[in-house]
């Protein structure tokens, strides 16, 4: 299929490589054109409007709400060339911006699927992402040949549901990782073998295994998910919970821990939450 990808950072670039290997015809756009050109595949468009005009499916994977608004609603934006495409919005930008762009895209006659993902670059490369899809069933089916190449589609509720569910998922990831960092440091300080401590922790939470080098050896690269990006997600999440009048003291405390970590390790992987304990052992 003819696929446009808006945003070719870590996740968008990995998606482009995966879809290119699956035989889809790609047109790429990135705010910094050189990043799209560096992938060495498909066509590179000068604007979002140019990228999407001839596409059947449009995937966007952008940094935050500001980047999403700029790509969809700004000058030469995707909305200006919307027609019969299916737009699959995969950014983690919160529910409010999704409502804005969905309205614009659908008023132009195109279809819109809210589809944030669970998983990082290795999951994209293996085709094992979980795609949380909220939108019209017919639109999901039209986009399925593209989206299924990236991973499993999980249909969720009404529009707005997928964005909120993704924030719940990332809050869980952050909370588990923060607790693991604390207990890894505490167990080691108590005289236990660090590998034994991590073995126990990862038996309860297998997702930790992908970041063992960070928790045990304090090596926070390569970066699969940066601390600063998780801080952005936690702020969005706690805002959603506050608006819902939900009591989330652990989520709030977790956000504050990551905000502290971001002061010195914002560009490192989220396992750098363990850096808080490097000079302050439990």
């Amino acid at each position: 299929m003819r696929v446009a990808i808006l945003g070719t950072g870590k996740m968008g670039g990995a998606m482009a490589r995966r879809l290119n290997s699956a035989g889809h015809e790609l047109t790429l756009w990135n705010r910094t054109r050189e990043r799209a050109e560096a992938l060495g595949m498909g066509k590179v468009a000068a604007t979002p409007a140019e990228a999407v005009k001839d596409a059947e499916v449009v995937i966007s994977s952008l940094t935050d709400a500001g980047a999403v608004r700029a790509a969809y609603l700004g000058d030469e934006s995707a909305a200006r060339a919307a027609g019969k495409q299916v737009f699959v919005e995969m950014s983690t930008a919160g529910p409010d911006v999704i409502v804005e762009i969905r309205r614009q895209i659908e008023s132009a006659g195109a279809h819109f699927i809210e589809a944030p993902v669970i998983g990082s670059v290795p999951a994209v490369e293996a085709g094992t992402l979980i795609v949380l899809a909220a939108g019209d069933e017919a639109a999901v089916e039209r986009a399925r040949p593209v989206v299924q190449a990236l991973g499993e589609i999980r249909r969720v509720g009404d529009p707005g549901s997928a964005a909120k569910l993704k924030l719940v998922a990332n809050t869980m990831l952050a909370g588990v990782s923060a607790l693991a960092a604390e207990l890894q440091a505490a167990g080691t300080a108590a005289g236990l073998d660090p590998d034994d401590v991590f073995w126990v922790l990862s038996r309860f939470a297998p997702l930790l295994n992908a970041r063992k080098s960070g928790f045990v050896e304090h090596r926070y690269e390569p970066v699969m998910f940066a601390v600063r990006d998780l801080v952005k997600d936690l702020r969005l999440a706690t805002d959603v919970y506050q608006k819902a009048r939900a009591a989330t003291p652990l989520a709030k405390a977790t956000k504050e821990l990551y905000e502290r970590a971001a002061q010195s390790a914002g560009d490192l992987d989220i396992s750098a939450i363990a850096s808080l304990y490097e000079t302050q052992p439990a």
Side-chain angles (χ1 to χ4, degrees):
M1 297 182 76
R2 298 188 305 277
V3 180
I5 298 180
L6 307 179
T8 57
K10 284 187 176 68
M11 289 293 284
M15 290 177 189
R17 291 189 293 271
R18 177 80 182 175
L19 294 175
N20 182 68
S21 67
H24 295 286
E25 182 182 338
L26 303 183
T27 301
L28 312 176
W29 173 83
N30 195 69
R31 189 166 37 184
T32 305
R33 183 185 178 98
E34 290 75 16
R35 291 195 76 171
E37 292 175 334
L39 290 171
M41 62 187 65
K43 302 173 185 176
V44 177
T47 66
E50 180 186 333
V52 310
K53 66 178 181 179
D54 295 321
E56 296 171 276
V57 174
V58 178
I59 288 177
S60 51
S61 180
L62 300 156
T63 306
D64 54 26
V68 172
R69 286 190 181 95
Y72 275 89
L73 305 177
D75 294 335
E76 298 296 322
S77 67
R80 293 180 182 271
K84 296 181 180 179
Q85 308 96 324
V86 179
F87 285 80
V88 183
E89 213 303 294
M90 292 185 160
S91 313
T92 305
D96 293 345
V97 69
I98 295 300
V99 172
E100 290 180 50
I101 63 173
R102 175 175 170 265
R103 186 183 303 121
Q104 292 291 324
I105 293 300
E106 292 185 344
S107 67
H111 298 275
F112 185 83
I113 303 170
E114 172 193 352
V117 301
I118 297 175
S120 55
V121 170
V124 179
E125 293 172 342
T128 57
L129 284 175
I130 298 173
V131 181
L132 306 174
D136 179 74
E137 184 66 36
V140 173
E141 288 307 310
R142 280 183 56 191
R144 186 175 292 277
V146 174
V147 178
Q148 263 190 340
L150 302 174
E152 172 191 350
I153 300 172
R154 168 74 180 188
R155 296 284 281 119
V156 297
D158 297 325
S161 299
K164 292 176 183 177
L165 188 56
K166 174 59 187 294
L167 295 176
V168 169
N170 278 11
T171 305
M172 182 68 172
L173 172 63
V176 169
S177 298
L179 183 58
E182 181 173 300
L183 293 177
Q184 182 71 37
T188 302
L192 296 172
D193 181 277
D195 284 322
D196 289 341
V197 176
F198 186 81
W199 181 85
V200 167
L201 297 179
S202 62
R203 293 284 287 188
F204 282 98
L207 61 83
L208 297 172
N209 284 310
R211 294 182 164 90
K212 180 179 179 180
S213 62
F215 290 110
V216 178
E217 301 167 18
H218 300 283
R219 292 190 290 111
Y220 309 126
E221 293 177 303
V223 179
M224 291 186 283
F225 188 2
V227 170
R228 57 178 162 73
D229 291 330
L230 184 53
V231 167
K232 176 262 296 180
D233 294 351
L234 290 171
R235 287 171 177 167
L236 288 170
T238 51
D239 182 61
V240 167
Y241 308 148
Q242 184 176 4
K243 288 177 179 177
R245 298 183 180 180
T248 55
L250 290 178
K252 182 180 178 182
T254 299
K255 175 178 73 72
E256 292 169 354
L257 284 171
Y258 275 93
E259 287 173 337
R260 280 176 52 200
Q263 293 175 13
S264 59
D267 291 331
L268 299 178
D269 188 74
I270 64 170
S271 58
I273 189 68
S275 67
L276 295 179
Y277 301 95
E278 289 177 358
T279 56
Q280 296 178 315

